[in-house]
């Protein structure tokens, strides 16, 4: 069959049918399981930066409640909230003092109830962050451990060890913190002498729990039930690969984050991916399954090699796991093709849905990342600045590609506005512990955590009525505001809304996947078919000819004379 379409320039083009051709190989079959989380779009809220209702310049739970309508309008299935628990905020709330209470910065437990009730009214599920690897050094259990003697049950909730060397002056092993420096801190005992050391894979204010201790298990089961009883749909589990450490805590000369390096395969890192960690999730899964509704666990298990992630989503464990290899993939069609192929292979092998993600609160936003070569450890004022137009064009294309992939998708607040990082944050505003622990060598993650612009004008673009904002926004953000973009058919926000609506209508999240063989010779192109929708993303430098009715384009001038321009993507149908 051939059809005629109007392109953006109104040329008439003869088009071929869009279906999976005989030579296209389906590498992922349509999902016959309709449980919501297998194909959902989950929107990450970073509470500090979503919306502020109190005027202190820090986002809060009533602010989230007020913003839920806009997420309904966007078309997401669920929200995932980064931590809002009581915390001294040494690591953006991933340092928890009280797991069952809301930090006054964010409101109260009543505010949480109001928020979740409103979300339920709107048909939006609520997932919250669980931080089981470590707590805050202000946590009551850690304070008790410090006050107790070496060898006591209180100390056994954490990983305390005597130091090496004649007087115990050296750390128990050579592990490094993710945020630079040693992963051990020595304590001053009650009698004023220097004493034992405790392990912290992150900041010294984040002591690691000892998951060999059943009391720790019981404590987290209590926490799970507390929030499940409140009606949360599930948990995103922080560093879900780190809880159990290898017996004897052997030295590790590989990378602190467990990524493979020559001679040090990530699979051998003694602090990650130990077999016993999976028993924890099996027991949590049983708890979730004992509740009504389809409750879920999602693993942040950034293991190497990447396909190991699938071990976290075996039938009796978690439901989803973040796909870090997709998040880390550069603007490179060949690499992306490999990641997509490997992801389907790994997740399909255990019957779990693949997830896809382009941005989160730990990573330079994709609108900035795709406009520069510097991607790791944040972008600061002294770095070469990203090409904003290029970054946005690629980010929109990448989003269209992602939202047509079968499986679950994660969005990070602000990406629907095409928000870039604030790459000009001055040192005095910095908050990320990695900036401080590295003596400023690592810029850190503040740039992607800046408060959202809601309206065109005002000191914080409507983030806070007082105009305050805990991290500085940028002047150019007025036209990126939600208000400005809602009125514009061609805005990034309008593209996201349309993509999410079409994704739902065509059930793309449950669809099948085949790379389109007709583009096999175009090395810079990602082209695939999901059901009756074909997606073509041009990651190369030359326009490529495309055929089909344009359902959605990453920008209005994506196709000229039947050719898809570089850094653009389209959804096509017959
Ligand atoms: C992963 C979280 O995403 C990150 O923000 C945090 O710093 C570390 N885990 C430690 O909790």
């Amino acid at each position: 069959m051939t059809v005629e379409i109007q392109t953006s320039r109104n040329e008439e083009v003869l088009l071929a049918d869009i279906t999976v051709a005989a030579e296209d190989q389906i590498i992922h079959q349509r999902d016959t399981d309709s449980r919501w989380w297998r194909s959902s779009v989950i929107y990450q809220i970073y509470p500090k930066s979503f919306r502020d209702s109190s005027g202190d310049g820090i986002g809060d739970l009533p602010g989230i409640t007020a913003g839920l309508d806009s997420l309904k309008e966007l078309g997401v299935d669920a929200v995932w909230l980064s931590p809002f628990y009581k915390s001294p905020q040494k690591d953006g709330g991933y340092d928890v003092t009280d797991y069952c209470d809301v930090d006054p910065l964010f409101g109260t437990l009543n505010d949480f109830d109001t928020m979740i009730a409103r979300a339920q009214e709107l048909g939006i599920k609520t997932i919250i962050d669980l931080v089981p690897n470590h707590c805050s050094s202000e946590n009551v259990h850690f304070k008790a451990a410090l006050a107790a003697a070496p060898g006591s049950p209180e100390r056994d909730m954490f990983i305390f060890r005597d130091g090496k060397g004649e007087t115990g002056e050296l750390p128990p092993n050579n592990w490094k913190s993710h945020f630079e420096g040693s992963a051990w801190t020595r304590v001053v005992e009650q009698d004023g002498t220097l004493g034992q050391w405790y392990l912290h894979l992150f900041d010294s204010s984040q002591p690691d729990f000892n998951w060999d201790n059943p009391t720790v298990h019981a404590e987290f089961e209590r926490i799970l039930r507390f929030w499940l009883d409140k009606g949360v749909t599930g948990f995103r589990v922080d560093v879900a690969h780190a809880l159990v450490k290898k017996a004897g805590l052997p030295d590790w000369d590989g990378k602190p984050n467990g990524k493979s390096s020559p001679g040090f395969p990530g699979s051998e890192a003694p602090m990650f991916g130990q077999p016993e960690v999976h028993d924890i999730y099996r027991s949590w899964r049983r708890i979730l399954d004992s509740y009504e509704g389809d409750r879920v666990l999602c693993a942040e298990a950034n293991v190497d090699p990447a396909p190991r992630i699938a071990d976290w989503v075996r039938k009796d464990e978690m439901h989803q796991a973040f796909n870090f290899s997709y998040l880390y993939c550069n603007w490179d069609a060949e690499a992306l093709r490999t990641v997509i192929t490997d992801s389907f292979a790994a997740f399909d092998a255990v019957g779990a849905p693949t997830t896809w993600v382009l941005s989160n609160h730990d990573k330079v936003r994709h609108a900035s990342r795709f406009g520069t070569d510097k991607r790791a450890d944040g972008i600061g004022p002294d770095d070469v600045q990203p090409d904003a137009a290029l970054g946005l064009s690629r980010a929109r294309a990448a989003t269209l590609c992602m939202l047509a992939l079968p499986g679950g998708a994660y969005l990070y607040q602000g990406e629907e506005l095409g928000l870039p990082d604030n790459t000009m944050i001055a040192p005095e505003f910095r908050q990320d512990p990695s900036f401080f622990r590295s003596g400023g060598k690592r810029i850190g993650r503040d740039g992607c955590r800046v408060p959202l612009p809601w309206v065109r004008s005002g000191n914080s673009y409507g983030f806070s009525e007082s105009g305050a904002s805990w991290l500085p926004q940028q002047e150019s953000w007025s036209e990126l505001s939600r208000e400005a973009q809602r009125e514009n058919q061609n805005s990034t926000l309008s593209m996201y809304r349309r993509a999410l609506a079409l994704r739902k209508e065509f059930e793309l999240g449950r669809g099948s996947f085949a790379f389109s063989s007709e583009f096999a010779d175009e090395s810079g192109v990602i082209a695939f078919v999901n059901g009756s929708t074909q997606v073509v993303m041009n990651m190369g430098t030359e326009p490529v000819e495309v055929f089909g009715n344009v359902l959605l384009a990453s920008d209005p001038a994506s196709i000229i004379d039947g050719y898809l321009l570089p850094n653009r993507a389209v959804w096509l149908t017959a």
Side-chain angles (χ1 to χ4, degrees), residues 91 94 134 179 202 206 236 238 300 361-362 445 449:
D91 180 24
Y94 284 91
H134 47 264
F179 295 154
F202 294 88
Q206 295 167 292
R236 172 265 190 196
D238 191 60
E300 190 218 21
H361 65 295
D362 290 330
R445 302 161 295 178
R449 299 175 174 182

Side-chain angles (χ1 to χ4, degrees), residues 250-484:
D251 275 355
W252 168 246
D253 291 311
K255 295 195 173 180
N257 62 6
K259 293 283 152 187
S260 299
S261 56
F264 299 100
S267 55
E268 287 177 16
M271 65 291 271
F272 299 120
Q274 300 305 303
E276 297 80 7
V277 83
H278 297 286
D279 295 334
I280 300 172
Y281 305 127
R282 291 193 181 103
S283 71
W284 290 5
R285 175 68 182 252
R286 288 193 292 274
I287 293 177
L288 265 75
D289 285 350
S290 72
Y291 278 79
E292 274 185 7
D294 216 351
R295 318 270 179 130
V296 295
L297 293 166
C298 176
E300 190 218 21
N302 194 353
V303 283
D304 199 26
R308 279 176 77 209
I309 291 185
D311 286 355
W312 272 254
V313 286
R314 290 174 291 194
K315 280 261 173 306
D316 55 349
E317 296 192 42
M318 300 208 189
H319 302 75
Q320 289 190 331
F322 292 118
N323 187 342
F324 284 101
S325 43
Y326 193 75
L327 176 66
Y328 294 153
C329 192
N330 294 335
W331 189 256
D332 174 341
E334 205 180 317
L336 190 59
R337 211 170 294 123
T338 305
V339 166
I340 293 173
T341 308
D342 292 353
S343 300
F344 282 128
F347 287 97
D348 284 350
V350 292
T354 310
T355 63
W356 312 101
V357 57
L358 284 164
S359 280
N360 68 22
H361 65 295
D362 290 330
K363 181 90 180 140
V364 173
R365 286 176 175 278
H366 60 294
S368 295
R369 214 164 69 224
F370 291 146
T372 177
D373 289 335
K374 178 167 193 302
R375 299 170 195 102
D377 292 335
I379 303 172
D382 297 335
D383 290 314
V384 175
Q385 294 300 298
D387 177 332
L390 177 67
L392 182 59
S393 182
R394 288 178 169 178
R396 288 172 61 140
T399 296
L400 279 201
C401 174
M402 176 177 87
L403 290 177
L405 289 168
Y410 276 83
L411 305 179
Y412 175 47
Q413 67 177 35
E415 68 167 84
E416 75 278 23
L417 307 175
L419 211 65
D421 271 33
N422 182 353
T423 55
M424 301 304 285
I425 298 176
E428 62 267 28
F429 291 107
R430 297 241 166 246
Q431 313 263 339
D432 190 338
S434 69
F435 178 79
F436 301 108
R437 287 182 70 92
S438 68
K441 202 174 75 206
R442 283 164 65 170
I443 293 295
R445 302 161 295 178
D446 297 314
C448 65
R449 299 175 174 182
V450 175
L452 298 186
W454 286 83
V455 298
R456 273 204 176 89
S457 53
N459 278 342
S460 63
Y461 304 113
F463 165 66
S464 169
E465 277 181 23
S466 71
S469 168
W470 69 283
L471 279 174
Q473 299 160 306
Q474 285 194 306
E475 276 174 28
S476 54
W477 285 11
S478 165
E479 285 310 303
L480 290 178
S481 66
R482 200 171 298 268
E483 176 187 49

